[in-house]
Amino acid sequence: MATITATVAITGMNARADNPGPGLAIARCLKEAPEFKGRIIGLGYDALDPGLYLDEYCDASYLLPYPSSGDEAFLDAFGRIHQLEKIDIFIPCLDAELPGIVRLTPLLDEWGIRHFLPTQEQLQLRSKDRLMELAEYAGIECPEVKTLSNPAFFSQCEEKGWTYPLVVKGLFYGAKIVKNAEQASSAFHQLAAQWGLPILVQRFATGTEYNLTALGDGHGNMLGAVMMKKMALTDKGKAWSGVTIFDQALHDASAALIRAINWRGPLEVEVVRDPHGHYQLIEINPRFPAWIYLSAGVGRNLPLTLIQLICGETPEDFPPPKPGVMFIRHAMENIVPLDKFEAMIIDSGQHRQQDEGEL
Amino acid sequence: MIETEPTLQAAIQLPPIKTLERLAVSERGFVFDPTSGDHFTLNETGLVVIRALQQNKTLEDVIESLRQEYNVEPQVLERDLLEFSGMINSLLDN
């Protein structure tokens, strides 16, 4: 396998304990791969995003303006970083930034920055408000989802057969299980303030949570699937511990979803296995999950495969699935000199030469 | 006329061999189901039973080998196996 020396910019360095972004795990997958000898540019949105300060995984780190700031602000910041770092490959990995970045791919192409992203249409087809449509097309069950623009629904929903508990969701992020109209209304306002309208409500699916991550090659094929059962959750329902499994039914259902939309790029399929043993589709995330390091743990380093695809290489065959490999997260303090934090606040980042030069 | 005690053996419903075969069973009785990700532990006797069933032995074979090993009445073994079958079925997705 050829050595890769590309400079790779990765977003999602918000490796926070309760709800981590996937960027740091992607960087770790690459940095620990013997085939990867390139540089990693960590990109975050908050000066306290932990991944920005982990020098063993990020060769340089910068802040971007929030996606809500618009394309111009993003391009201004990203262009400046590109001038300094000469980015070869870009891996955006947060749900909220993807629509804007996919829109800007012609410009990225112009700048010579390579990527492996879905189209706008593919992004929309897997969005939370169209999940039922896609699930039906792919032949997998899915709890009913309804789009809401105001919270009045929650006071009369039981009359319409929507019994509590229900799940209230933001279009990009956030999901709260609510047990009554008061909690539902509060969740609606909180999520709407954070992520905007519409808000979604989904029937609650009882069962055990399983996730699958893989790459779609853009021609309907699923590459390198890794499946995981959540063993311990954070307060926000994110996996704190998990174990790999292999279930042909989940594999086939996910392959059908990818085939249905010719998905291109990384993705995560979230399902619940109900008491009857049926999978209920909960979400499809258009990116690697925060637990993607588990893929390296089972010999299917999907971020590395992604880079190989981007570089036009044919990835090697994946080893057979390896059920029974666990991960357990841990919280640890990273000591950060104040000048590094200052550089993040004042300069939105710090350029580091190979010999640790400064901006 | 002598009345025979109804056998419990007919009531013992063990998981299908396909389900049992997929289980990863350690020497110390730790069991991992690679399809569901569930895990549980077995005591020494449970381990003997699962190992025997994974080797495609019949229930009669299992009862006979346990009887020889532990020197207990077949009725007692059948009762224990009935309880075991209920437990193992509740732990596994068949």
Side-chain angles (χ1 to χ4, degrees), chain A residues 299-315:
Chain A
R300 296 182 160 206
N301 189 330
L302 288 176
L304 181 67
T305 304
L306 174 67
I307 297 292
Q308 289 167 336
L309 286 173
I310 292 173
C311 292
E313 286 189 31
T314 307

Side-chain angles (χ1 to χ4, degrees), chain A residues 225-347:
Chain A
V226 178
M227 299 168 220
M228 180 273 284
K229 176 197 177 190
K230 291 182 181 179
M231 295 178 77
L233 303 177
T234 69
D235 286 350
K236 292 195 173 167
K238 305 299 168 186
W240 187 256
S241 173
V243 63
T244 50
I245 62 148
F246 180 79
D247 187 353
Q248 193 66 51
L250 177 55
H251 179 278
D252 294 349
S254 304
L257 289 166
I258 286 177
R259 200 167 41 246
I261 51 176
N262 284 331
W263 183 258
R264 187 173 192 269
L267 92 168
E268 180 192 30
V269 177
E270 292 189 20
V271 296
V272 162
R273 193 173 191 189
D274 69 21
H276 309 292
H278 298 153
Y279 285 114
Q280 302 278 338
L281 180 64
I282 302 299
E283 259 176 43
I284 301 175
N285 296 315
R287 47 154 176 84
F288 285 131
W291 54 272
I292 192 63
Y293 187 68
L294 188 60
S295 74
V298 294
R300 296 182 160 206
N301 189 330
L302 288 176
L304 181 67
T305 304
L306 174 67
I307 297 292
Q308 289 167 336
L309 286 173
I310 292 173
C311 292
E313 286 189 31
T314 307
E316 283 178 14
D317 289 342
F318 291 101
K322 203 171 168 187
V325 176
M326 279 179 69
F327 76 86
I328 306 176
R329 289 208 176 112
H330 62 107
M332 191 168 70
E333 293 74 28
N334 182 30
I335 303 303
V336 178
L338 196 60
D339 61 342
K340 274 193 175 183
F341 183 61
E342 178 189 325
M344 205 57 75
I345 294 281
I346 304 288
D347 308 319

Side-chain angles (χ1 to χ4, degrees), chain A residues 91-154:
Chain A
I91 308 179
C93 51
L94 297 178
D95 300 9
E97 69 193 5
L98 277 167
I101 289 169
V102 167
R103 201 170 49 239
L104 296 172
T105 49
L107 197 59
L108 296 179
D109 296 339
E110 219 173 273
W111 289 356
I113 298 173
R114 289 174 285 172
H115 48 80
F116 200 73
L117 294 167
T119 62
Q120 286 286 3
E121 192 194 1
Q122 288 170 339
L123 262 186
Q124 280 162 10
L125 281 169
R126 50 64 37 202
S127 71
K128 294 181 187 183
D129 54 341
R130 296 183 67 180
L131 206 58
M132 288 166 59
E133 201 182 316
L134 177 58
E136 193 182 346
Y137 193 66
I140 179 169
E141 292 176 34
C142 174
E144 193 178 351
V145 182
K146 203 174 172 58
T147 305
L148 303 176
S149 52
N150 75 68
F153 168 82
F154 295 115

